[in-house]
Amino acid sequence: MNLSFYPLDLKLKHTFQIARESRDIQNNIIVLLRDTDGVVGFGEAAPTRFLGEDAKSVTRVLDQSVDLLQQADPFHLEDTTHLLKSRFPRDTAARAAIDIALYDMIGKKLKIPLYQLLGLKKPNANVTSFTIGIDTLEKMCKKVDEVKDFPILKIKAGFKEDIETLRELRKITRAVFRVDVNTGWTLHEAIKKLKLMENLGVELVEQPFPVGSIELLQKIRGAAKIPIFVDEDVKDTHDIPAFSNVVDGINIKLMKCGGIREAIRMIHTARAHNLKIMMGCNIESSVSITAASHVTPLVDHIDLDGHLLVTNDPYTGVMVDRGKLTLPVGDGLGVVARNEASLLSL
Ligand code: MG
């Protein structure tokens, strides 16, 4: 297989601000894997500095993977993903790009969509949340108003006036709220704020504390009626058992765990530990958002809106209408470039 890749700088509609950072552009990398029969698989890496990756490190890993993939059989997913993990253990977004491209290629070769390849029924009427980043109250209200058709909103929190903001937002929407703190609370704040949130229509709270704060999570266990999920705390399968009986669920992301294969391992591991599952994302184009959408029949909550937050997605794949996901018709991911000509020149 021939591996090629190019940068994709996604422009955000609104400056994306969460508890620890803000940005206007997300520097991703699109991967194309071409087999000798001409079949091309698409993949995407959406690296985050929080996990120690950026476009440069992804490029380095992909450069080094060209030779590794040259003679590889695309159907030998286990061997290939294992080899890449042993060579690049921390480069999960880079590995996810190759993993996604392999699954896309296999689906295309077998002429079946990815969900079918995974043994799943076609995802039907699954609903994603839409993310509202941190901003002034006025701008957050405006953002909520822009997406009033979405039945579930993920509100970014972890700042001083977050409860007051939620109260104001509650006045203008009936949408279910999921609150993502992105590690921004202390124990004292969590106890106080979780109580105050009980009558605000909050379905769950994500990652209240800094990574590794298992003792703090244990302290709010039982005290809070609202289910607690962890995201930054759980990267791959190995991280899950420690959170059994500590939280209610985990957020799985292809970019965080290394791709579809590891995401499915995580799903089964989480189920064995009685944990609920959210499928989340970074700021991504339709390539990797569609890949994650194929896996949604296996999860409880969906947060796949990364492609809706950008203005220059060069691909089409999963469509979102009032939060409802509709997968494209087509083999593999079913993703197509909006401008085929731009791909042919690669
Ligand atoms: Mg999160």
Side-chain angles (χ1 to χ4, degrees):
M1 288 178 288
N2 180 38
L3 171 70
S4 58
F5 47 93
Y6 68 94
L8 173 61
D9 297 336
L10 293 172
K11 295 189 184 89
L12 285 144
K13 280 181 193 159
H14 299 284
T15 299
F16 190 70
Q17 189 173 349
I18 62 171
R20 62 170 173 267
E21 59 172 299
S22 100
R23 71 199 119 120
D24 294 300
I25 290 204
Q26 167 72 28
N27 304 115
N28 289 357
I29 307 279
I30 293 290
V31 156
L32 287 95
L33 265 183
R34 191 183 300 268
D35 206 1
T36 44
D37 58 3
V39 174
V40 176
F42 292 125
E44 178 176 9
T48 54
R49 271 189 218 118
F50 182 74
L51 292 177
E53 285 184 283
D54 57 18
K56 252 188 185 170
S57 71
V58 170
T59 304
R60 206 161 46 234
V61 169
L62 294 174
D63 265 332
Q64 291 176 46
S65 302
V66 171
D67 284 349
L68 293 176
L69 292 166
Q70 199 69 51
Q71 301 301 325
D73 181 328
F75 285 88
H76 294 175
L77 275 169
E78 190 63 27
D79 285 356
T80 305
T81 52
H82 186 78
L83 173 68
L84 291 169
K85 190 176 181 184
S86 64
R87 290 286 293 271
F88 313 110
R90 289 171 188 275
D91 299 277
T92 51
R95 286 193 279 115
I98 297 173
D99 166 286
I100 293 167
L102 285 167
Y103 274 102
D104 187 30
M105 177 184 278
I106 292 172
K108 285 171 176 165
K109 282 175 182 277
L110 297 177
K111 298 187 168 49
I112 54 172
L114 175 56
Y115 63 82
Q116 200 176 332
L117 175 61
L118 299 174
L120 304 172
K121 280 189 195 163
K122 184 169 188 171
N124 184 24
N126 286 335
V127 175
T128 178
S129 50
F130 188 95
T131 302
I132 306 294
I134 298 171
D135 213 321
T136 61
L137 177 60
E138 193 191 347
K139 284 195 181 148
M140 286 178 82
C141 287
K142 192 165 166 275
K143 286 179 194 171
V144 166
D145 194 54
E146 279 171 17
V147 292
K148 50 178 173 293
D149 288 346
F150 278 75
I152 311 170
L153 298 178
K154 184 187 251 200
I155 314 286
K156 293 290 189 178
F159 56 100
K160 197 160 164 260
E161 307 85 11
D162 48 10
I163 297 296
E164 291 75 9
T165 301
L166 280 174
R167 278 201 192 110
E168 291 303 313
L169 296 179
R170 180 42 79 212
K171 289 179 190 167
I172 60 166
T173 177
R174 298 168 113 181
V176 168
F177 287 163
R178 294 173 186 161
V179 174
D180 191 354
V181 184
N182 287 113
T183 75
W185 283 350
T186 62
L187 177 62
H188 175 73
E189 270 181 299
I191 290 170
K192 195 175 90 184
K193 291 183 173 182
L194 283 167
K195 194 86 199 144
L196 292 170
M197 272 183 195
E198 278 176 14
N199 297 317
L200 291 175
V202 176
E203 183 185 39
L204 58 91
V205 167
E206 200 175 306
Q207 195 72 37
F209 304 127
V211 169
S213 307
I214 289 185
E215 278 181 24
L216 299 187
L217 290 166
Q218 278 164 334
K219 282 186 180 149
I220 57 166
R221 185 94 178 138
K225 285 189 192 145
I226 299 172
I228 306 289
F229 277 51
V230 279
D231 175 0
E232 286 86 339
D233 259 319
V234 174
K235 296 186 195 71
D236 62 19
T237 308
H238 299 288
D239 296 328
I240 295 174
F243 290 89
S244 180
N245 298 318
V246 176
V247 295
D248 300 282
I250 64 167
N251 185 342
I252 296 174
K253 295 173 182 166
L254 299 184
M255 297 301 146
K256 195 169 58 163
C257 72
I260 295 163
R261 206 158 181 79
E262 178 62 15
I264 289 171
R265 273 191 208 108
M266 288 182 81
I267 289 167
H268 295 308
T269 307
R271 293 283 180 223
H273 289 276
N274 291 318
L275 291 162
K276 296 269 186 195
I277 296 147
M278 180 191 294
M279 178 62 81
C281 63
N282 293 348
I283 308 294
E284 306 172 25
S285 82
S286 288
V287 173
S288 46
I289 293 290
T290 304
S293 301
H294 281 270
V295 187
T296 53
L298 290 171
V299 309
D300 306 294
H301 304 287
I302 302 168
D303 179 31
L304 294 175
D305 64 340
H307 62 318
L308 305 177
L309 307 178
V310 303
T311 58
N312 60 334
D313 183 352
Y315 297 92
T316 57
V318 65
M319 301 305 282
V320 183
D321 179 26
R322 281 162 285 176
K324 201 179 119 185
L325 302 176
T326 304
L327 278 158
V329 176
D331 303 331
L333 300 177
V335 163
V336 290
R338 287 181 202 270
N339 179 4
E340 285 288 344
S342 67
L343 272 181
L344 294 173
S345 63
L346 287 165

